[in-house]
Amino acid sequence: MKNLLVYISPSHDFDTEEKVTAKIQIDNSLDLGWKKADILLVTNFPYKYNGIKALIVGDENWCSPVPPATELYTIVNLFKKGFFGRELYWYHNFDLFQNEVVTDQEIESELGLADLGLTDQGRMPKWNGGSLFFKKTSRDIFEAAKKIVDKYEVNDEHALMVLYTNNLLWA
């Protein structure tokens, strides 16, 4: 499994909070047994910490109408570039910290044949876009969600709910 972190910023730098959380995320991941090669940090600026070097992408990944959808834009762009392989990927926000070791087998058994695994917000019926597990075969889901973000200027979580509640991928 690959641990994917995305941070795209018009200022080409982490903001004050993410300057700290980026380091904590990397250290925490290494402490929990992640291999350096499996920690994928994607930014639009150079960054290196504790043996993890950011993959630099362009500013076109920034979603100015809906900044919280920037990660979705970036993932779609990475799909277009052929970035994703056969592995399972775990994307999560910088403020979501892993607390214990989770194995590929645990996640794969929960996903089964599904291409994308999400959790809800708990207190409300809305998908949580801050932590998701996905396979290369989920590309169509991300692309469809991006179209909804572009058309209605909603965040990624709303776009995923629109896809799901309207059966737009399975019709």
Side-chain angles (χ1 to χ4, degrees):
M1 182 164 41
K2 304 289 186 181
N3 183 340
L4 177 63
L5 295 159
V6 174
Y7 191 86
I8 308 300
S9 169
S11 70
H12 296 97
D13 197 4
F14 288 117
D15 68 18
T16 304
E17 183 177 326
E18 271 68 26
K19 282 182 182 180
V20 175
T21 58
K23 292 177 180 178
I24 294 170
Q25 280 289 358
I26 291 168
D27 290 339
N28 184 60
S29 296
L30 294 170
D31 289 346
L32 287 168
W34 287 89
K35 295 176 188 165
K36 288 182 180 183
D38 292 337
I39 301 171
L40 308 174
L41 174 62
V42 180
T43 62
N44 63 333
F45 53 91
Y47 182 80
K48 187 175 181 181
Y49 173 75
N50 204 357
I52 305 300
K53 184 178 178 184
L55 168 68
I56 302 170
V57 297
D59 292 341
E60 71 277 3
N61 295 285
W62 174 252
C63 178
S64 59
V66 189
T70 296
E71 291 83 2
L72 175 70
Y73 272 51
T74 305
I75 290 171
V76 168
N77 192 13
L78 291 171
F79 269 116
K80 288 178 182 175
K81 292 181 178 192
F83 177 79
F84 297 111
R86 293 181 164 188
E87 300 87 1
L88 179 63
Y89 294 83
W90 175 40
Y91 164 77
H92 58 99
N93 288 345
F94 274 78
D95 62 352
L96 189 145
F97 296 93
Q98 182 179 355
N99 293 320
E100 55 187 76
V101 175
V102 179
T103 67
D104 291 22
Q105 294 77 18
E106 288 176 279
I107 302 303
E108 288 170 357
S109 70
E110 289 292 322
L111 275 177
L113 298 175
D115 296 329
L116 176 67
L118 299 157
T119 60
D120 62 23
Q121 295 282 348
R123 67 193 193 304
M124 63 181 74
K126 184 172 96 171
W127 293 125
N128 181 351
S131 176
L132 48 93
F133 295 89
F134 66 96
K135 301 173 186 174
K136 183 178 183 177
T137 51
S138 65
R139 179 177 179 163
D140 60 331
I141 300 169
F142 286 102
E143 289 176 343
K146 183 182 180 295
K147 286 179 185 176
I148 291 169
V149 169
D150 290 341
K151 184 173 182 176
Y152 299 105
E153 293 189 358
V154 296
N155 68 26
D156 54 330
E157 294 170 345
H158 286 98
L160 289 166
M161 282 301 291
V162 166
L163 290 174
Y164 177 73
T165 58
N166 293 289
N167 275 337
L168 295 178
L169 289 172
W170 304 276

